[in-house]
Amino acid sequence: MRLHPLAASCVTVLLCAALASCSSDGTAQEETEPPVTAAAEPDPPMDEPAEEDDGDGGRERSWEAVGWAAHPLEADGGKYPGVDGGSGGDTVTAADAGTLTALLTREGPLTVEIRGTIDLGGDVAVGSDKTLVGSPEGGALTGGRLVVDGASDVVIADLAIDTGGSAVAIRGGAHHVWIDGSTFSGGGGDALVSVTGGADHVTLSWNRFRDSAAAVDIGGADEEPGALRVTLHHNYFDGTSARNPRARGAAHVHVFNNYFRGNGEYGMSSALDARLLAEGNYFQGTLFSAVSGGAGEEAPGNVLTRDNLLVDSAQPELRGEVPDPPYAYELDDPGRVPDLVQEQAGARTRG
């Protein structure tokens, strides 16, 4: 069983070708080199010790925020060092929608543990300086969505959220939001998670998205430039048809070490001059790994890919330039991503 430290505190080369296409028998192929199998792995550098294998196909995952949510920001006259949610505040428990709604709008930092399954009964607002996490016995939400509207410093972790539409909406200039280690399902035609309305400095990590036509929407047709900086890493896009993510008008979207499986329309897309960097991902049976352009008359976006592994998946559509992110991160070998992500992404499995 994985132990999330937020919950604990409550109680604590492979194939480095961005244009790699797949042969008819499913083995990945470099642009100019002879085919090798998808399981091929490079030897560790001679001057560094080999990384210890923990038995699940890769290293043990980190429980610290990585990416844009952990990166400092100056906004509205204030300086924000990075996300830490309700750290420093009390820890309380919610087992019904009324209690949860009241706790999440309380002033000041607070960690709220979800015990059992709560039917939200509609939208529930999440205020600033809050951590919302499943209890050690498990936590699940149904019948509504969480809305982070204009709030900052929010952590949502280790929850199972099954909904008939959107599960989490981040909007209204909200920033420093981290969604980690959760399972999202049942979105129907809506994206399970949306990041819109000038939201900024958001990280989605180690989540599982399933049973939905769309996973993640970032931005829209009327976004102002300069915001919507989002990191997605080590997520499992399990059969979600498209929008894994879809980026529109986003300043920077960094997608690394995610596992894409059986995505019938496409993996990710960039439109309306969004900037999307995809690296070290594993695509399996995804019709198009990455596309530039949107529905109807939407203008294309910028797409840069590198070191992705494609198996029975079409090569990406590259366009424009995308800068590297300003933060440090550790890139896992993409050949290990399926085992690593399937083992550790999503809400904790309980016996």
Side-chain angles (χ1 to χ4, degrees):
M1 177 186 296
R2 303 192 278 114
L3 181 60
H4 199 298
L6 293 172
S9 67
C10 299
V11 244
T12 48
V13 242
L14 165 66
L15 286 176
C16 53
L19 295 175
S21 59
C22 300
S23 60
S24 59
D25 64 356
T27 55
Q29 183 176 347
E30 290 190 76
E31 188 173 10
T32 58
E33 297 296 323
V36 296
T37 64
E41 298 175 10
D43 293 328
M46 295 300 294
D47 58 345
E48 297 180 6
E51 192 172 46
E52 183 177 352
D53 193 332
D54 60 10
D56 60 9
R59 60 179 169 82
E60 185 66 25
R61 59 154 297 185
S62 170
W63 290 104
E64 295 182 357
V66 174
W68 281 112
H71 193 66
L73 172 68
E74 293 189 20
D76 303 324
K79 295 183 178 180
Y80 301 88
V83 66
D84 65 1
S87 178
D90 293 335
T91 297
V92 294
T93 299
D96 62 81
T99 301
L100 178 63
T101 299
L103 290 171
L104 290 179
T105 55
R106 182 186 293 181
E107 291 293 326
L110 190 68
T111 294
V112 182
E113 286 190 347
I114 301 297
R115 180 173 298 169
T117 299
I118 296 178
D119 186 340
L120 297 177
D123 289 357
V124 172
V126 183
S128 297
D129 307 311
K130 298 296 182 291
T131 292
L132 181 60
V133 61
S135 72
E137 294 77 24
L141 302 175
T142 64
R145 65 176 177 171
L146 301 171
V147 179
V148 185
D149 192 344
S152 64
D153 203 4
V154 173
V155 178
I156 298 170
D158 203 14
L159 291 172
I161 305 181
D162 188 5
T163 178
S166 173
V168 179
I170 305 167
R171 65 193 188 195
H175 60 88
H176 287 103
V177 180
W178 180 25
I179 301 178
D180 180 69
S182 294
T183 298
F184 299 95
S185 58
D190 297 321
L192 290 163
V193 175
S194 63
V195 184
T196 61
D200 207 2
H201 285 233
V202 176
T203 293
L204 280 67
S205 58
W206 299 98
N207 302 294
R208 183 182 180 187
F209 299 90
R210 60 181 178 84
D211 300 331
S212 180
V216 180
D217 261 334
I218 301 172
D222 301 318
E223 297 288 350
E224 295 292 330
L228 297 169
R229 287 168 285 195
V230 183
T231 302
L232 299 94
H233 73 88
H234 294 93
N235 298 289
Y236 183 11
F237 297 105
D238 185 7
T240 45
S241 299
R243 298 190 236 171
N244 306 291
R246 175 177 65 175
R248 295 186 291 172
H252 194 277
V253 178
H254 185 202
V255 185
F256 74 91
N257 280 157
N258 299 278
Y259 179 34
F260 298 80
R261 189 194 67 83
N263 313 108
E265 294 184 45
Y266 63 84
M268 61 189 80
S269 71
S270 177
L272 299 176
D273 208 34
R275 297 189 293 182
L276 187 151
L277 169 63
E279 58 178 337
N281 300 288
Y282 192 108
F283 296 89
Q284 181 177 358
T286 298
L287 185 60
F288 297 102
S289 56
V291 297
S292 176
E297 301 298 320
E298 284 189 348
N302 303 288
V303 179
L304 174 64
T305 68
R306 59 191 179 211
D307 301 329
N308 297 294
L309 185 55
L310 281 65
V311 177
D312 293 330
S313 303
Q315 66 183 18
E317 299 176 7
L318 304 185
R319 177 187 180 274
E321 297 181 357
V322 181
D324 287 340
Y327 50 78
Y329 60 98
E330 183 176 355
L331 197 65
D332 284 310
D333 181 339
R336 294 181 174 180
V337 163
D339 287 343
L340 185 63
V341 169
Q342 287 183 100
E343 174 69 22
Q344 301 190 50
R348 285 173 292 166
T349 300
R350 300 166 174 84

